[in-house]
Amino acid sequence: MKFGTKAIHAGVQPDPSTGAIMTPIYQTSTYVQEGIGKHKGYEYSRTHNPTRTVLQENLAALENGRYGLAFASGMAAVDAVLKLLRPGDEIIASNDLYGGTYRIMSRVFQNFGLLTHYVDLSDAQNLRAHITEKTRLVWVETPTNPLLNVVDLEAIGRITQKQGILLVVDNTFATPYLQNPLQWGADIVMHSATKYLGGHSDVVLGALITNREDLRDQLAFIQNACGAVPGPQDCFLLLRGIKTLHVRMDRHCENGRAVAEYLDKHPQIQKVYWIGLPSHPNHKIARKQMRNFGGMVSFTLKDDRLESAIRVMENFKIFALGESLGGVESLCTHPATMTHASIPQEQRLKSGLRDTLIRLSVGIEDIDDLLGDLEDALG
Ligand code: P1T
């Protein structure tokens, strides 16, 4: 099955009792058992829920994986992965990554004896240089949030597979429509499904996909034992959103390109971060491992004062100022005070994230209106 067909049909069957084409929202906490030990595979909704089961199968199919697991948020999915580790284990993570991922590693799991080293993984040789006998997990975001760096998954995957280290790839920015990290040696793919997968800014949900049965078993144990599961209503919303993922992504990519090319030529812009520009330092790797370049565009102004960046962000009429990304609506975010505020400024600057960086999630509105909004806001 090709992607668009899987997005709509994978894991989904007409409801056996009514023929309903849409997966029912099984809004139930428990299931009546016919006798002790006699049930239909469902006992309690923290452990299994039929709406969630359908979603999990659908998510696995999108990543060409065998197993999918859904969590209450992207962060709950990150939390479950980190619980695979033991005190004394070490993590190597991209130095440019979502602030919440940095926060859970440095402010939560460090207290439980997990040490994370933040490394520039856009050069795979840096990974080799930082591996020790304690390294158990490599955490990669690609493209990264918010600087749109691209990590060579094949090169990183070759190293982690040879050394027996878990490779986890946060595929939130690319989505499975543009990139499938399992194909390059990732052991686990993670998504904040809150973003493009849901696509309508109406649900918070996280996902993990793996081909390895041992990891599926451990992660399913953690999912049930720790309990950060999404409710059936949220699973339904995500299933519905995914049905149009491929159509939305084509428009996000098209609009992303138009916005990036417009900004790249604009006299007031200093730098545009968009992986589809041939001048992007990782453009060639992006071409190799991705099918298109997405709708996330960051930029800085030539006038590098914070108040100037704030003025532009507050001038927008269509790009709404807010956290999150990947919805049909265009959003504008100030990473330094919003999504990445939990990373200390010194650390942010070291990875190249300036306080004046503006991040756009280019939505699927009419492109003429989006370019007009940019023109007016920069004016
Ligand atoms: O928000 P949540 O669903 O818990 O997902 C966390 C998360 C994980 N990974 C990446 C790459 C992310 O971008 C996020 C959430 N990011 C935002 C809210 C944001 O605006 O960048």
Side-chain angles (χ1 to χ4, degrees):
M1 250 192 244
K2 294 259 171 79
F3 192 92
T5 316
K6 285 195 290 191
I8 294 166
H9 294 291
V12 180
Q13 302 288 339
D15 175 40
S17 59
T18 63
I21 196 163
M22 290 301 289
T23 306
I25 302 168
Y26 283 91
Q27 195 73 51
T28 186
S29 58
T30 191
Y31 306 83
V32 177
Q33 307 192 11
E34 287 159 23
I36 300 296
K38 284 193 220 149
H39 56 76
K40 298 184 168 75
Y42 291 95
E43 299 164 83
Y44 187 59
S45 276
R46 171 161 34 75
T47 324
H48 297 292
N49 174 280
T51 317
R52 197 171 92 214
T53 303
V54 173
L55 172 64
Q56 294 185 152
E57 285 182 23
N58 184 268
L59 288 165
L62 295 186
E63 284 289 5
N64 300 323
R66 290 172 67 196
Y67 308 110
L69 291 156
F71 291 85
S73 66
M75 288 320 302
V78 179
D79 177 76
V81 170
L82 299 181
K83 285 173 177 162
L84 294 169
L85 305 182
R86 298 280 173 275
D89 290 348
E90 293 190 3
I91 301 165
I92 297 177
S94 333
N95 65 342
D96 166 31
L97 80 177
Y98 171 56
T101 308
Y102 172 88
R103 180 174 55 199
I104 196 172
M105 288 174 177
S106 62
R107 307 255 316 263
V108 179
F109 280 96
Q110 188 151 324
N111 296 337
F112 292 88
L114 291 185
L115 190 63
T116 305
H117 302 276
Y118 301 94
V119 173
D120 177 5
L121 294 177
S122 55
D123 179 356
Q125 293 316 312
N126 282 342
L127 173 62
R128 229 187 272 280
H130 284 84
I131 290 176
T132 70
E133 74 282 359
K134 292 185 180 164
T135 309
R136 292 283 172 278
L137 189 148
V138 172
W139 188 281
V140 168
E141 239 180 64
T142 184
T144 59
N145 182 359
L147 290 174
L148 285 310
N149 288 312
V150 176
V151 175
D152 184 342
L153 291 175
E154 188 177 23
I156 298 280
R158 227 182 277 131
I159 298 170
T160 52
Q161 287 196 326
K162 203 155 152 212
Q163 308 248 7
I165 296 167
L166 278 182
L167 175 60
V168 186
V169 177
D170 182 336
N171 204 24
T172 300
F173 268 37
T175 82
Y177 184 58
L178 301 185
Q179 168 176 283
N180 300 115
L182 294 176
Q183 137 191 28
W184 305 109
D187 298 288
I188 301 170
V189 174
M190 179 257 149
H191 284 280
S192 167
T194 314
K195 311 298 179 330
Y196 287 106
L197 294 183
H200 296 76
S201 313
D202 54 7
V203 62
V204 172
L205 206 146
L208 299 175
I209 298 102
T210 183
N211 275 325
R212 283 178 47 180
E213 195 175 351
D214 60 330
L215 289 175
R216 195 287 304 257
D217 290 349
Q218 290 175 62
L219 291 166
F221 172 81
I222 292 165
Q223 183 192 42
N224 181 51
C226 300
V229 292
Q233 178 103 16
D234 286 349
C235 292
F236 172 87
L237 282 173
L238 191 59
L239 270 168
R240 189 173 73 160
I242 287 172
K243 286 180 196 289
T244 55
L245 176 63
H246 48 301
V247 183
R248 287 185 282 108
M249 284 311 291
D250 281 342
R251 184 61 73 88
H252 281 295
C253 292
E254 198 181 306
N255 283 358
R257 171 176 293 283
V259 164
E261 287 176 351
Y262 169 85
L263 290 172
D264 199 39
K265 290 198 198 91
H266 198 285
Q268 288 181 36
I269 303 300
Q270 184 190 53
K271 185 164 175 184
V272 180
Y273 302 74
W274 187 65
I275 53 179
L277 291 174
S279 57
H280 188 288
N282 313 128
H283 178 65
K284 253 181 140 164
I285 298 167
R287 285 199 92 90
K288 180 183 85 171
Q289 69 192 25
M290 297 176 71
R291 291 178 276 273
N292 205 334
F293 306 112
M296 296 303 296
V297 182
S298 296
F299 67 98
T300 49
L301 301 169
K302 277 191 185 143
D303 172 2
D304 197 33
R305 291 170 302 167
L306 184 58
E307 62 266 29
S308 306
I310 290 174
R311 183 177 43 78
V312 169
M313 289 184 277
E314 292 182 348
N315 274 349
F316 283 126
K317 301 240 161 25
I318 298 175
F319 284 90
L321 186 63
E323 305 208 17
S324 204
L325 59 108
V328 291
E329 313 84 356
S330 290
L331 283 181
C332 160
T333 301
H334 182 222
T337 57
M338 295 180 177
T339 51
H340 292 69
S342 54
I343 304 178
Q345 191 195 38
E346 190 194 321
Q347 188 109 2
R348 288 201 307 263
L349 291 174
K350 242 194 336 197
S351 65
L353 171 48
R354 305 222 308 264
D355 286 359
T356 48
L357 188 90
I358 298 172
R359 189 189 78 181
L360 301 178
S361 171
V362 181
I364 64 169
E365 299 94 337
D366 194 296
I367 190 59
D368 292 342
D369 292 325
L370 294 182
L371 296 181
D373 199 29
L374 281 167
E375 180 94 19
D376 293 346
L378 289 165

